Structure formats: structure tokens, C-alpha cells
């Protein structure tokens, strides 16, 4: 996935953004902003380091994230009541912001029969942790892709769901872009709220998404898809190995007992 992100930025002529050195640029103090309107008055939303990234993205051929998702989705999930259930009785695993970034998510099992259809995600939906705080170790504004085995899970409303409605920008390509460190910083700069932050509904639509050739997009998307396919395969093989180990332990214990 890191290779796909690097490929995207370098192909777009934005390779310089990959060496961001965010914390070496100094704090955003003593800056002025003109031309304000009712969209936002929050200083963080005009953070000079983030605005620099946005200006750089705007220098290459692009369309906005709002345009990419105009016929898709760019919004939070549905709110719903959680009704606990047993995995052996049709329950699905509910993924929250914390579990989403674990290699093997654990957590609550709920019945999908008493929840809206929107708890699930379509293939190649980019999920962005959209509620949280601004700590460096927090997942707020980090992204992951829903595909493969993760399509079986249900997802809480705390994610910003980005679903492309433009065939030129498949979800895997969009993820390679949004998972990058520059976009993580841009999304963080668009925070709104009190202790629990969210991502500004209007500002997020203005993010420039690089336009590349069809072959480049397909190559980058293929790299992401292959990474996720290999992850699923690794999980499957690990499960098989653990099952064989348990079987061997039980068999050995049975022999010893005899």
C-alpha cells in the first residue's frame, strides 16, 4: 500500500510531498488569513502547513473530492441501535474506529436484522476515522479500505465513508491517495467541534484529487487490491495453521491420557 501511494504521488509530479517532515516545519503561529466567509472561522482550518499542501495539490491536474464522490458517497454512516447476538445465529462483527486499524479486529457481535442496511459498506469504500481528538497517536483522520473479507463486517457511524461515483477514480486509487501522510494532515486541518473533533462537511469536498492516465490509475489500484488480497490470504493461512495446531495438541493430549 505504501508503494501504491508513492507511485501515485510520483506519477502525479507530487513526489516532494512524500517527504513532508511535518514537525520540522515549525508550529503555525502568528499567521493572518483574509477573505473569510461563513464557511469557517476556526484558525486550524487555515493552518499554513496544510494550506501549503493543498496549494501544491492544486498545481497539478485534479478534480475535487466532492466531485469524485458526487454520484457516490461522502458522508458518515447511519446511526442505529446495537442488538447483541451470537455469531452462530447470524450475527456480524461491528467494527468501530479502534478495531478498524487492528490486523485482526475483535469486538461486539450484533444482529443485522434489527439494524439498517447502511451498517455494511460496498466494495472499495474508503473509511476515514472521522471522530476523535488530535493526538499524534490517535486514529482520527486515518483511512482504510473495505474490501475482501472485511465486506462481511458492519461499521459504526463514526466513519466518513468515501465512495467514488466516477469510474476514473476507483476506490483503491482513492484510498492510495487518502491514506498518505499529506492527506492525513490536510484532513486534520479541517477539524471542527469541541473535545471530539469531526471533519468539516464543506471543506472536505474541496480537497484536490490528482487526475492520472487510465493505465496509471489501474496500476496503482491493482497494487492496493493485491495488498489486500494477500492480507486476506495470510489471515486464512494463519487460521488453518492454528486449527492444525489445536488438532495436534488435542490428539497428543488424548494419546497421553490413554
Amino acid at each position: 500500500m505504501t508503494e501504491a501511494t508513492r507511485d501515485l504521488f510520483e506519477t502525479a509530479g507530487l513526489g516532494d510531498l512524500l517527504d513532508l517532515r511535518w514537525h520540522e516545519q515549525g508550529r503555525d503561529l502568528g499567521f493572518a488569513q483574509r477573505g473569510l466567509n461563513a464557511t469557517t472561522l476556526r484558525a486550524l482550518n487555515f493552518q499554513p502547513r496544510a494550506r501549503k499542501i493543498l496549494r501544491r495539490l492544486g498545481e497539478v491536474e485534479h478534480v475535487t473530492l466532492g466531485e469524485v464522490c458526487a454520484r457516490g458517497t461522502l458522508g458518515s454512516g447511519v446511526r442505529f441501535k446495537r442488538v447483541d447476538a451470537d455469531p452462530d445465529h447470524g450475527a456480524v462483527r461491528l467494527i468501530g474506529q479502534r478495531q478498524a486499524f487492528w490486523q485482526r479486529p475483535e469486538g461486539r457481535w450484533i444482529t443485522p436484522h434489527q439494524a439498517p442496511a447502511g451498517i455494511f459498506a460496498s466494495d472499495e469504500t474508503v473509511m476515514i476515522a472521522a471522530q476523535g481528538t488530535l493526538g499524534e497517536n490517535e486514529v482520527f483522520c486515518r483511512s482504510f479500505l473495505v474490501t475482501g473479507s472485511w465486506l462481511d463486517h458492519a461499521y459504526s457511524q463514526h466513519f466518513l465513508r468515501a465512495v467514488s461515483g466516477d469510474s476514473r477514480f476507483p476506490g483503491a486509487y482513492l484510498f492510495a491517495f487518502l491514506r498518505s501522510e499529506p492527506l492525513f494532515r490536510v484532513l486534520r486541518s479541517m477539524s471542527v467541534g469541541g473535545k471530539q473533533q469531526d471533519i468539516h462537511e464543506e471543506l472536505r469536498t474541496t480537497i484536490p484529487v490528482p487526475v492520472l492516465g487510465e493505465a496509471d490509475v489501474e496500476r496503482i489500484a491493482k497494487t492496493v487490491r493485491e495488498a489486500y488480497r494477500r492480507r486476506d490470504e495470510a489471515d486464512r493461512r494463519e487460521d488453518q495453521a492454528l486449527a492444525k495446531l489445536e488438532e495436534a495438541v488435542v490428539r497428543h493430549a488424548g494419546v497421553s491420557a490413554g
Side-chain angles (χ1 to χ4, degrees):
M1 292 185 285
T2 301
E3 290 175 4
T5 296
R6 178 168 294 279
D7 188 358
L8 190 158
F9 276 78
E10 290 181 346
T11 302
L14 298 167
D16 53 295
L17 289 180
L18 293 172
D19 188 24
L20 196 56
R21 300 180 183 273
W22 181 261
H23 295 294
E24 295 180 16
Q25 296 180 37
R27 298 178 65 187
D28 300 292
L29 301 175
F31 64 91
Q33 181 69 33
R34 299 185 183 277
L36 300 178
N37 56 40
T39 301
T40 178
L41 296 176
R42 190 178 188 185
L44 179 62
N45 300 152
F46 302 101
Q47 187 178 38
R49 285 179 292 173
R51 304 287 283 188
K52 183 179 178 181
I53 296 171
L54 287 168
R55 285 195 299 271
R56 186 71 182 89
L57 292 172
E59 291 173 358
V60 302
E61 184 181 357
H62 66 274
V63 297
T64 66
L65 183 60
E67 291 171 323
V68 172
C69 299
R71 296 184 178 180
T73 302
L74 188 60
S76 61
V78 294
R79 295 180 180 273
F80 61 97
K81 181 179 180 181
R82 280 81 158 150
V83 179
D84 294 319
D86 191 282
D88 295 328
H89 294 85
V92 295
R93 192 190 300 275
L94 176 64
I95 305 297
Q97 287 188 142
R98 178 179 297 179
Q99 296 85 12
F101 297 92
W102 295 352
Q103 185 67 28
R104 286 297 191 105
E106 300 176 5
R108 191 170 179 176
W109 290 83
I110 64 168
T111 174
H113 306 300
Q114 298 187 48
I119 64 173
F120 296 104
S122 58
D123 192 22
E124 297 197 359
T125 295
V126 182
M127 293 282 198
I128 305 171
Q131 293 184 351
T133 56
L134 295 169
E136 282 296 304
N137 295 321
E138 301 296 325
V139 300
F140 176 54
C141 292
R142 293 293 184 188
S143 306
F144 68 97
L145 189 69
V146 178
T147 190
S149 64
W150 282 55
L151 289 168
D152 297 331
H153 302 320
Y155 295 90
S156 73
Q157 73 271 17
H158 304 296
F159 297 103
L160 171 62
R161 300 172 180 229
V163 179
S164 174
D166 188 330
S167 60
R168 296 175 299 166
F169 302 92
Y173 174 83
L174 201 57
F175 170 66
F177 177 63
L178 291 172
R179 69 170 296 277
S180 68
E181 182 68 12
L183 268 296
F184 167 70
R185 297 300 175 181
V186 164
L187 287 167
R188 281 258 174 128
S189 78
M190 296 176 173
S191 300
V192 295
K195 178 174 176 56
Q196 287 293 312
Q197 303 291 298
D198 207 327
I199 304 172
H200 195 289
E201 188 172 345
E202 184 173 339
L203 292 179
R204 67 198 186 202
T205 67
T206 66
I207 296 174
V209 181
V211 175
L212 300 183
E214 184 177 348
D216 294 324
V217 170
E218 184 55 36
R219 180 184 68 252
I220 293 164
K222 182 180 179 181
T223 302
V224 171
R225 289 165 181 155
E226 180 65 12
Y228 272 88
R229 187 196 67 77
R230 290 185 180 186
R231 187 180 75 168
D232 275 354
E233 177 67 11
D235 289 346
R236 187 183 67 81
R237 292 191 179 194
E238 183 179 53
D239 289 342
Q240 289 177 339
L242 288 172
K244 288 183 178 180
L245 179 61
E246 286 184 13
E247 181 182 343
V249 169
V250 170
R251 186 170 60 249
H252 178 73
V255 172
S256 298

